[in-house]
Amino acid sequence: MVDTHTQYHKIKDEVDKAVIEVMESSAFINGKIVQEFAGNLAGYLNVKHVIPCGNGTDALQIALMALGLKPGDEVITPSFTYIATTEVVALLRLTPVFVDVDEKTFCIDPAAIEKAITPRTKAIVPVHLYGQSANMEAIMKIAEKHSLFVIEDNAQAIGCNFHFSDGSSKKTGTIGHIGCTSFYPSKNLGAFGDGGSLFTNDDALAEKLKMIANHGQKVRYYHDLVGCNSRLDSIQAAILNIKLKHLDAYCKARQEVAAYYNAAFSGNDKITVPYKADNSDHVYHQYTLILNNVERDAFKDRLEKKGVPSMIYYPLPAHKQKMFAQFDVANQELPVTTYLTDRVISLPIHTEMDAEQLAFIKDAVLSAL
Ligand SMILES: *Cc1c(COP(=O)(O)O)cnc(C)c1O
């Protein structure tokens, strides 16, 4: 599904040198490379503050912790997402409110958000699923109207631009009050271990996020808030600092794979190729097909036998997960979520695919259908 090994070998000399520099400096935690990377990422994203942390799940948790919410406050999120998005809501004793996604973009449906708002609603967590932005223009309008916070889960879409109707554009993760991302190795900007980051343009929130990620302290050993310990280590920052320079090229490589697949598959009525909305770029963290009247497990097995891996992201939507049984939401009707959960399948997509591999996968998919 990914090939981080080949990707590493293309930048090996630079990466190895940077890692050795960190080891020689022995500044493994909070080395100056961490701030250097944060500054470079802020420049790339055109956002005022980048606060590195331990992983993408921590980023989401820290973001919610900074909002001053009370137990039972409601947070609206899609059910069709990776579990981290919704898990942190329950972890903080907040109430997740699951809503449906748009059938074309697979991202949270603004109309469904509006219907789910109650007097207890405090925040919305849109997910830029598979590498395409949710409709942030509509979501920010709803949030302003109802005075809600917006925390963007940008773990799958770093490098993606959202295009507003006035012609302006912003990077995903910099549009809401706080953006969160993950540097998990297989993500579009992946470290060689765990890592994550928060983004914000709000000075007061930035200070709070920084404190929460660091045991609630601004002055060492004086703890003003209950926080946690969540850090990006210097070795990961050094690697990410190099990979950041390649991020646009990495996104382009993924887009080229997607264009190849689209051309190969769009004529086939058994599969629907990913839709790309006009208001968003697509950085194809995943290339996800919808199967039409194809038995998915059998199709997946046939692909496997031909040597082509595939994945189901995600086989069980959040609202049906046992961890949320206490909220009594398993029987909630989310028709698009159910439809997609039963039919999606993701093909290999990464930055190192060559023409031979693509042709091999294309042939395997078409014959396995
Ligand atoms: C990967 C991912 C996360 C969590 O990131 P980790 O670094 O693995 O904690 C959160 N949300 C989404 C949508 C993700 O894809």
Side-chain angles (χ1 to χ4, degrees):
M1 295 299 286
V2 292
D3 183 359
T4 47
H5 184 260
T6 307
Q7 194 192 56
Y8 161 56
H9 274 263
K10 288 188 179 161
I11 53 171
K12 181 179 179 341
D13 291 347
E14 212 184 343
V15 166
D16 290 0
K17 189 167 157 275
V19 170
I20 288 167
E21 256 169 43
V22 173
M23 293 195 288
E24 288 293 347
S25 79
S26 292
F28 296 111
I29 301 292
N30 272 332
K32 71 177 194 315
I33 190 67
V34 179
Q35 285 322 308
E36 192 181 319
F37 166 64
N40 290 337
L41 184 56
Y44 173 84
L45 295 169
N46 193 21
V47 71
K48 220 163 152 191
H49 304 279
V50 165
I51 298 120
C53 65
N55 57 66
T57 309
D58 279 4
L60 289 158
Q61 180 188 324
I62 292 163
L64 287 171
M65 286 171 80
L67 303 182
L69 307 186
K70 293 181 196 62
D73 281 349
E74 293 173 2
V75 177
I76 296 177
T77 85
S79 178
F80 192 64
T81 181
Y82 180 57
I83 197 64
T85 318
T86 54
E87 184 183 29
V88 294
V89 176
L91 179 76
L92 295 171
R93 299 281 177 262
L94 304 167
T95 301
V97 173
F98 299 104
V99 302
D100 220 341
V101 290
D102 179 271
E103 62 187 339
K104 285 181 165 162
T105 65
F106 308 149
C107 293
I108 195 165
D109 176 1
I113 295 175
E114 210 145 21
K115 280 192 206 127
I117 292 172
T118 76
R120 304 215 69 168
T121 307
K122 294 288 155 52
I124 308 166
V125 186
V127 182
H128 306 311
L129 199 73
Y130 304 152
Q132 173 163 237
S133 183
N135 185 347
M136 287 306 294
E137 184 155 4
I139 291 167
M140 293 313 291
K141 265 195 202 128
I142 295 167
E144 269 158 41
K145 188 167 141 201
H146 298 273
S147 303
L148 306 175
F149 291 108
V150 176
I151 310 291
E152 297 175 72
D153 183 343
N154 197 38
Q156 301 190 358
I158 195 155
C160 179
N161 291 290
F162 180 80
H163 307 288
F164 291 86
S165 51
D166 68 2
S168 66
S169 298
K170 282 185 185 170
K171 291 278 187 219
T172 52
T174 71
I175 302 164
H177 300 87
I178 305 173
C180 300
T181 206
S182 162
F183 303 124
Y184 185 79
S186 63
K187 297 285 157 85
N188 286 24
L189 180 60
F192 290 6
D194 276 312
S197 192
L198 294 126
F199 321 130
T200 186
N201 283 306
D202 182 314
D203 297 340
L205 269 178
E207 176 158 299
K208 215 166 166 194
L209 294 169
K210 237 179 262 175
M211 287 172 71
I212 292 170
N214 185 25
H215 297 296
Q217 62 191 334
K218 197 159 55 179
V219 179
R220 203 168 194 189
Y221 303 128
Y222 292 83
H223 306 273
D224 300 347
L225 302 167
V226 173
C228 56
N229 170 28
S230 188
R231 301 185 276 236
L232 181 70
D233 70 67
S234 306
I235 288 181
Q236 301 309 331
I239 294 163
L240 289 164
N241 201 39
I242 291 162
K243 290 185 76 177
L244 177 61
K245 293 185 284 187
H246 300 278
L247 179 57
D248 283 339
Y250 290 159
C251 291
K252 193 162 167 278
R254 289 172 176 275
Q255 286 161 349
E256 282 167 9
V257 172
Y260 178 93
Y261 283 154
N262 284 345
F265 303 140
S266 25
N268 195 304
D269 60 6
K270 289 185 183 157
I271 37 183
T272 303
V273 300
Y275 171 84
K276 196 194 89 59
D278 290 339
N279 62 9
S280 175
D281 297 349
H282 201 321
V283 294
Y284 295 99
H285 176 59
Q286 300 299 345
Y287 183 87
T288 305
L289 297 167
I290 302 175
L291 296 176
N292 306 314
N293 302 314
V294 176
E295 217 279 282
R296 185 171 61 182
D297 289 345
F299 173 67
K300 195 173 187 313
D301 283 348
R302 289 195 293 274
L303 279 182
E304 181 104 43
K305 289 210 178 77
K306 292 171 192 290
V308 173
S310 59
M311 291 289 283
I312 312 303
Y313 301 115
Y314 299 91
L316 190 66
H319 74 290
K320 291 194 190 295
Q321 299 286 349
K322 283 185 193 153
M323 69 155 73
F324 297 125
Q326 57 178 310
F327 300 107
D328 200 19
V329 286
N331 295 321
Q332 200 187 330
E333 291 274 338
L334 298 174
V336 180
T337 296
T338 303
Y339 180 89
L340 293 175
T341 299
D342 291 344
R343 287 170 182 78
V344 289
I345 187 163
S346 300
L347 297 180
I349 189 163
H350 55 78
T351 59
E352 310 303 322
M353 297 178 84
D354 60 30
E356 199 184 335
Q357 284 171 322
L358 289 172
F360 183 84
I361 294 168
K362 170 191 152 184
D363 291 344
V365 168
L366 291 175
S367 74
L369 282 171

